[in-house]
Amino acid sequence: MGTSATIAASFPAGPLSRPLRRLCDRLGMDVRFDQLAAGLVQFRRQAGGRGRDWDIVVLRTVDWMDAAPDGRAARRERFAENLSAFLAGLDGPGGPAVGSIVCLYPSPPGASAADVARCEAELVDRLSRAQRTTLITASQVVPRYRVGDASCQEVDGEPVYGNELHTAFAAEIARAVHARERRPVKVIAVDADYTLWEGVCAESGERGLRLGPGRESFQRMLLERRRQGVLLCLVTQNARQDVERAFDEHDFPLTLDDFALVEAGFEAKPTKLRRAAADLNAAPESFVFVDDNPGECARMRAEMPAVHTLRFPQDDKDVGAFLEHAWLLDPPDTGPVAVDRTQQYRAEVGRRRAMAQAADRERFLADLDLRLCVREARPEDVPRIAQMSDRVTQFTTCPSRRTQAAVARDLADEGRVCLVAEVADRFGDYGLTGVLEYSLTPAALHVWSWMLSCRVLHREVEHRLLRQLADRAAAGGVDALVFEVRRTDRNIPARSFLTRAGAEWIEQGDDGGRMRLTVEAAASPPPSAPPDDTREAREPEAGAPAGSAAPPPANAFLARLAEESADARALYESLFPRREDDGRPRTLGLWSAMLKQAWEEALGVEDVWHEDDLFGVWGATSVDVLKVCARIRQRCGVVLTLGEMLALPTVARQAENLMHRAPARIPVITRLRGGRGVPLVFLPPAGGLGYGYLELIRALGDEQTVLIAQAPELTGDETLLDLDALVRVYRAEILRLAGGDPVVLAGWSFGALLAYETAVAVEAGGGALAGLVLFDPPGREPPAPEPGRAEPGGADPGGARPEPAPGAALGRFFDLLDPRRTDAAALVALDREIFPGAEPLDAAAGREAVWRELLARLLADADEHQRNRLLIPELAPLDVLRGACVWKKNQELARAYRPTPGGHRSRTYVFAVADDGGGDGGDHVLAGVLGERTETRSYPIRPVAGLRAHSAMMEKENVALFAPDVSRLMTELRSRHSRPER
């Protein structure tokens, strides 16, 4: 099951989601993000009670002040109102299951800087004390990730921050989520020489061992983790007596007693770590191994890939940055523990050695003198219960990681009883090692959760606790126990114990269900338990031979974060690496299409291919480069230099550079050609890319002002929008760009529906329209389209029924694709349906890796047309998936479309495909609402390259049929709506 998160922002923060999604994918976290519109104070109410794990809140202090009337007192009062409402929302009902993450972006400088600073200090103070809330501020992330520019710029009236700042915030959000989602770190195993100290303890001599500021901070961090319940293990190839002497002769923050185990001697470190895992009864994936020697790190990664291995910096001055970026060494969120776990685990080592020496298991248990105390939980038990929900993964009937606040709420529930079990024996006190939560109903004693530490398993504790439940059920007058059971790959011991005791499933699904056990069976003598039950879930990792498995992808990524201490720019480039071209034909994406258009305008040519050497093939000069740079700066606000453009001779390479240089999202509406007179605005077809109109735009000439719109889902956040939301976005952008002047709206296929609905909304909002131009609107009852025959750029045939696609796999992919669910598990299920005979994909590899493999399989099955026009509308594979989701979602909107009645006031011009019977193409879904002020012309559009006529309307040979009429129409409209010269 994945994790869900809701993002709310007080300003347009869409660019944050791109690195955040990529980071979650790299970490193997299946996180589904829902984007909410700005309106931050009310964001929890907008969530509408939907179940989610996280609320991610992005805000600026100034946004809570700007809506106030003039005057400093009014601004502070407005801020106080917003802050109080927000804090009430954090603590109110309907909140997230896990917690909230608040990102405080820097406010832009201004005359009210002092007021903003005071309000921001109050905001930080209040949020720092809020329960279940993680606060991330610019003052934290800017130095940690060495952000070069954290300033805010205004672009088209909107605040824009650079990719570096967004990436830094995204990293800290991912860090907070990962801390909760990953398996807890139980043991930190560290090397001694040049890790805990500088020098070799066997050769220290008179100078002794040196402890610089960096290594001292490292030791103090380890000591703090020990106090928080993490076990420390020393793994060194020094002799034991040399290690003991090193600690005796130096006043280190750590002492030898702080280590639960000391593995000294000259055996290989993986061998030592396997022995430590067995002695501590801890799975290898719960270990972090830290060593300064690159060779030792490489060996550990090869022989024990499940262990998190981190290479410690050799230079003491680099230790601080290492600790800043070592996410795996972050403190556990369960807080300090009340017992000394180091002493507990030392006692456990003694027990295991006694068991090895005992004649049999029965003799060992008899000599153990085990004592069990069962009582109702008290408030002081809350931290330990929360910690067990994090750490216990094997004997747990219903695994669920809970915060202390959640545990406290459950304890306050009068309908539930929470029992805790404390265990001791002749070796020492195990502490609180068991938790049972139940309710007594008229039919049964309902056990909601049962957790038991693996340290007390197979010592008859589980059997005695089961008898306790049976006694309480009998006292309550019921004859059965019902257990809530959730199935995971690690809680086999709990499920198999219930089965051996006689429990049977009464409700069962893929993820679990309920098991029923009679009181008589629960109270009877316990069944024999196999002693290796606790190893069932982790045997493959614990006993894996050297080099038998590759390290999990997240391990390698987390190691690079710590070892390289990357700044924000380097981290962004690692998330979105520059890719060498793979030789496959590509449809031009948002950036490459913009550059292609700019180069063709500068050179006065057509058909510049994205792999052409612009200087060798087309003879481009530095003057041409400067023209292109000026056009790009005007259209998307990115400043490109002459030097970098001359070093990148193709459109493809320039497009990748432009994509990485962009300070924010591509504008939803871009000015593609700056002519004069009334602007012509093209709304995108279903694929979401407005560049499908390029041939028509070229044919209209330089005098026409042209703006093209893209799907908002392709230019910013990925959240899929319905028709009303799309229209609101386009209406707002058009009214802002037009500034009260009239515009002409145009659209083809699904874009025609968008153009009509936007026209109605623009006029309703007081905007002026010079006309509405529709290219072959869909038919009245559009059939389900065939995606293998879409228009260029992934556009939608709308009402036309295309021929069957030659690539059957691609057609099936689009038939089965759920555009709102594309997590790794969903993609794996798609692959099984489409390619049942292929090797199954592994959802654990992450969304991006699964999609890359599925995309490769689809490409191998697709024909050249499909590869060129549909599957690769942008440069990155995940963007291909995003485009496919937009296409499918818009297909669904087209099928459900019903036009807004009442029409609009301006004149409409329809350019239609003549039907096979010679009709004028006027029978379309908008025919009943356009009214008498409509002119329709039809043209003998021909199929091209396997496309039906409708889908081929914007191909060059067909554009030539109607472009002259469109050009004359725009000349007329420019004349009719031209401004008198002043």
Side-chain angles (χ1 to χ4, degrees):
M1 296 175 63
T3 299
S4 59
T6 293
I7 303 177
S10 66
F11 63 96
L16 170 68
S17 66
R18 188 168 183 246
L20 179 57
R21 293 173 195 273
R22 186 62 60 89
L23 279 163
C24 290
D25 191 68
R26 291 287 178 89
L27 293 166
M29 298 191 302
D30 183 9
V31 184
R32 185 184 72 253
F33 294 98
D34 293 324
Q35 187 90 14
L36 295 181
L40 191 54
V41 176
Q42 302 296 329
F43 82 96
R44 194 177 303 289
R45 192 176 302 164
Q46 292 178 22
R50 292 173 296 175
R52 65 205 183 280
D53 299 296
W54 295 92
D55 278 335
I56 299 172
V57 183
V58 185
L59 60 89
R60 304 184 307 171
T61 305
V62 71
D63 294 329
W64 282 357
M65 305 170 67
D66 281 348
D70 292 338
R72 297 172 61 183
R75 288 164 61 83
R76 287 196 294 269
E77 182 179 348
R78 177 63 173 161
F79 168 81
E81 292 173 357
N82 283 331
L83 177 59
S84 297
F86 179 68
L87 291 172
L90 285 178
D91 297 329
V98 178
S100 300
I101 300 172
V102 180
C103 298
L104 186 57
Y105 271 62
S107 295
S112 58
D115 283 344
V116 171
R118 278 192 290 270
C119 291
E120 191 158 296
E122 180 182 357
L123 176 63
V124 170
D125 177 65
R126 298 284 295 277
L127 287 178
S128 299
R129 292 182 277 118
Q131 294 291 323
R132 299 198 309 138
T133 300
T134 300
L135 176 62
I136 303 171
T137 67
S139 62
Q140 295 169 341
V141 303
V142 169
R144 175 173 290 174
Y145 293 93
R146 302 189 293 282
V147 176
D149 183 7
S151 63
C152 175
Q153 300 179 9
E154 292 288 328
V155 177
D156 292 333
E158 290 187 356
V160 172
Y161 294 90
N163 278 331
E164 290 187 25
L165 186 65
H166 288 308
T167 301
F169 271 105
E172 289 302 289
I173 295 171
R175 187 174 193 164
V177 175
H178 183 257
R180 286 289 303 174
E181 296 301 315
R182 64 172 166 84
R183 181 180 301 281
V185 171
K186 293 185 178 182
V187 185
I188 300 176
V190 295
D191 175 42
D193 296 339
Y194 293 101
T195 300
L196 286 180
W197 50 67
E198 291 182 83
V200 178
C201 64
E203 304 171 358
S204 58
E206 296 180 358
R207 293 183 58 193
L209 303 174
R210 299 175 301 283
L211 194 67
R215 284 174 171 79
E216 181 178 356
S217 65
F218 178 55
Q219 286 202 23
R220 293 192 184 281
M221 182 276 296
L222 292 175
L223 187 60
E224 182 63 23
R225 296 298 171 270
R226 179 198 183 281
R227 292 173 181 144
Q228 293 164 334
V230 178
L231 299 175
L232 303 183
C233 178
L234 185 60
V235 180
T236 175
Q237 290 186 321
N238 288 297
R240 173 84 185 206
Q241 60 269 26
D242 290 333
V243 175
E244 292 175 348
R245 186 174 65 253
F247 279 97
D248 289 342
E249 295 178 354
H250 297 83
D251 186 20
F252 294 142
L254 284 171
T255 69
L256 206 57
D257 289 338
D258 291 317
F259 293 91
L261 277 179
V262 176
E263 285 286 349
F266 301 100
E267 290 179 294
K269 290 184 179 179
T271 301
K272 292 187 175 78
L273 209 62
R274 287 192 187 94
R275 186 165 55 240
D279 285 344
L280 298 175
N281 195 28
E285 55 265 35
S286 66
F287 275 72
V288 175
F289 173 68
V290 185
D291 197 311
D292 71 293
N293 189 321
E296 294 288 359
C297 291
R299 186 172 185 178
M300 187 66 71
R301 286 167 179 152
E303 296 193 28
M304 298 191 73
V307 171
H308 299 280
T309 298
L310 302 179
R311 177 168 52 81
F312 193 78
Q314 296 182 347
D315 194 327
D316 192 75
K317 66 180 177 58
D318 295 329
V319 174
F322 170 83
L323 296 179
E324 285 277 345
H325 294 274
W327 296 10
L328 292 163
L329 301 179
D330 286 347
D333 59 4
T334 49
V337 292
V339 296
D340 189 336
R341 295 184 68 243
T342 299
Q343 294 301 324
Q344 283 185 344
Y345 273 82
R346 283 180 181 160
E348 182 62 21
V349 172
R351 294 184 188 100
R352 288 180 176 274
R353 291 172 180 168
M355 183 166 58
Q357 296 169 0
D360 52 39
R361 181 169 174 268
E362 287 70 25
R363 171 54 55 189
F364 166 71
L365 292 176
D367 293 342
L368 203 55
D369 187 24
L370 191 113
R371 300 179 295 279
L372 172 67
C373 172
V374 179
R375 59 173 176 80
E376 291 199 12
R378 298 189 287 260
E380 57 265 30
D381 300 322
V382 167
R384 172 58 179 158
I385 296 173
Q387 185 185 61
M388 287 187 65
S389 76
D390 253 354
R391 295 177 180 273
V392 175
T393 61
Q394 296 182 34
F395 198 100
T396 172
T397 56
C398 202
S400 176
R401 301 173 73 178
R402 293 186 291 169
T403 63
Q404 293 187 33
V407 172
R409 284 197 300 270
D410 289 342
L411 290 186
D413 186 346
E414 295 182 356
R416 284 197 184 195
V417 177
C418 180
L419 301 178
V420 296
E422 296 172 319
V423 182
D425 61 21
R426 69 183 179 92
F427 287 97
D429 189 354
Y430 294 84
L432 196 161
T433 51
V435 180
L436 281 159
E437 296 180 74
Y438 71 87
S439 300
L440 189 63
T441 70
L445 187 142
H446 197 114
V447 182
W448 298 102
S449 174
W450 184 3
M451 297 183 290
L452 195 62
S453 170
C454 58
R455 292 183 292 116
V456 297
L457 283 181
H458 306 302
R459 295 173 191 180
E460 297 190 355
V461 174
E462 59 266 45
H463 308 96
R464 291 163 68 173
L465 288 176
L466 188 61
R467 291 193 190 98
Q468 287 261 358
L469 289 176
D471 292 344
R472 289 171 181 261
V478 297
D479 62 358
L481 311 175
V482 174
F483 294 84
E484 291 287 331
V485 179
R486 182 177 301 162
R487 182 182 286 109
T488 72
D489 60 350
R490 293 191 56 82
N491 72 341
I492 297 173
R495 291 185 279 118
S496 61
F497 173 77
L498 291 178
T499 300
R500 288 194 306 274
E504 297 180 348
W505 290 99
I506 55 175
E507 296 178 19
Q508 187 173 8
D510 292 340
D511 296 328
R514 294 180 178 181
M515 299 182 77
R516 184 179 186 275
L517 178 66
T518 66
V519 168
E520 181 181 0
S524 63
S528 174
D532 63 345
D533 243 12
T534 56
R535 294 195 296 271
E536 284 186 53
R538 61 182 177 89
E539 188 65 36
E541 291 82 10
S548 63
N555 284 22
F557 183 69
L558 290 167
R560 285 198 304 273
L561 278 177
E563 294 166 9
E564 298 174 7
S565 303
D567 58 28
R569 182 173 183 83
L571 178 57
Y572 182 85
E573 291 176 350
S574 73
L575 295 174
F576 304 98
R578 301 174 184 269
R579 295 171 298 278
E580 295 299 324
D581 187 73
D582 56 12
R584 295 183 305 197
R586 300 166 182 235
T587 297
L588 297 179
L590 299 176
W591 298 112
S592 53
M594 185 182 296
L595 275 161
K596 179 180 186 294
Q597 175 75 8
W599 273 109
E600 289 175 347
E601 291 172 353
L603 297 172
V605 299
E606 296 182 8
D607 297 330
V608 170
W609 180 237
H610 71 302
E611 290 301 334
D612 287 346
D613 185 327
L614 295 162
F615 307 102
V617 175
W618 294 102
T621 67
S622 58
V623 175
D624 298 321
V625 173
L626 292 175
K627 291 179 181 178
V628 170
C629 291
R631 284 173 167 82
I632 297 302
R633 183 171 61 252
Q634 178 189 30
R635 292 171 186 175
C636 62
V638 179
V639 178
L640 300 174
T641 67
L642 177 63
E644 66 184 306
M645 291 289 279
L646 290 173
L648 302 170
T650 67
V651 168
R653 294 181 63 185
Q654 292 173 6
E656 290 209 342
N657 177 56
L658 180 57
M659 181 173 65
H660 289 287
R661 290 285 308 281
R665 61 178 174 83
I666 300 175
V668 172
I669 297 180
T670 304
R671 183 180 294 271
L672 191 63
R673 178 166 290 169
R676 57 187 177 83
V678 59
L680 174 60
V681 184
F682 285 98
L683 279 297
L689 297 176
Y691 288 98
Y693 300 105
L694 282 178
E695 292 296 341
L696 176 58
I697 293 170
R698 183 182 291 114
L700 295 180
D702 294 334
E703 292 186 353
Q704 179 61 53
T705 300
V706 176
L707 295 90
I708 57 171
Q710 318 291 348
E713 300 100 325
L714 297 179
T715 64
D717 183 72
E718 293 185 30
T719 305
L720 298 176
L721 304 181
D722 60 19
L723 188 63
D724 290 341
L726 287 172
V727 169
R728 285 196 298 271
V729 171
Y730 293 134
R731 170 187 172 273
E733 285 290 293
I734 290 167
L735 290 176
R736 180 180 63 81
L737 292 170
D741 293 336
V743 299
V744 177
L745 299 185
W748 164 42
S749 188
F750 177 77
L753 310 184
L754 283 177
Y756 168 76
E757 295 295 336
T758 305
V760 173
V762 167
E763 289 186 337
L769 283 185
L772 177 63
V773 180
L774 307 178
F775 298 97
D776 210 38
R780 292 183 183 276
E781 296 182 1
E786 178 63 51
R789 286 291 178 262
E791 301 103 324
D796 171 20
R801 183 182 295 278
E803 301 89 344
L810 182 61
R812 188 146 175 75
F813 167 75
F814 277 96
D815 287 342
L816 297 173
L817 177 65
D818 180 351
R820 293 164 187 82
R821 185 165 183 265
T822 59
D823 53 75
L827 294 175
V828 168
L830 268 177
D831 180 75
R832 283 199 303 267
E833 289 286 338
I834 301 168
F835 302 104
E839 181 180 353
L841 302 181
D842 183 7
R847 178 174 179 248
E848 181 175 7
V850 171
W851 169 242
R852 283 180 180 274
E853 183 60 33
L854 177 54
L855 178 60
R857 293 176 179 181
L858 292 170
L859 285 170
D861 182 78
D863 62 21
E864 182 179 0
H865 159 76
Q866 292 170 327
R867 287 194 296 269
N868 284 354
R869 297 180 179 275
L870 185 65
L871 271 179
I872 313 181
E874 293 191 61
L875 294 173
L878 283 179
D879 288 336
V880 178
L881 178 59
R882 179 159 52 158
C885 291
V886 169
W887 187 89
K888 181 68 179 287
K889 180 267 296 184
N890 287 342
Q891 293 286 355
E892 296 171 354
L893 295 181
R895 285 195 291 273
Y897 176 69
R898 297 294 181 271
T900 300
H904 62 102
R905 295 186 296 274
S906 61
R907 182 171 290 278
T908 302
Y909 308 88
V910 178
F911 295 82
V913 176
D915 60 38
D916 295 339
D920 63 1
D923 187 21
H924 50 77
V925 70
L926 295 173
V929 295
L930 292 181
E932 296 180 355
R933 292 171 57 82
T934 301
E935 298 179 17
T936 300
R937 301 178 185 180
S938 61
Y939 301 86
I941 303 298
R942 296 184 297 274
V944 175
L947 296 171
R948 287 188 63 111
H950 170 91
S951 301
M953 189 171 189
M954 293 298 163
E955 295 295 312
K956 183 176 182 179
E957 45 267 72
N958 286 323
V959 166
L961 299 175
F962 58 86
D965 290 339
V966 178
S967 182
R968 281 191 290 272
L969 169 64
M970 293 310 303
T971 299
E972 177 187 339
L973 292 177
R974 286 199 303 271
S975 175
R976 187 184 306 168
H977 294 276
S978 62
R979 290 182 173 182
E981 293 189 9
R982 298 178 181 177

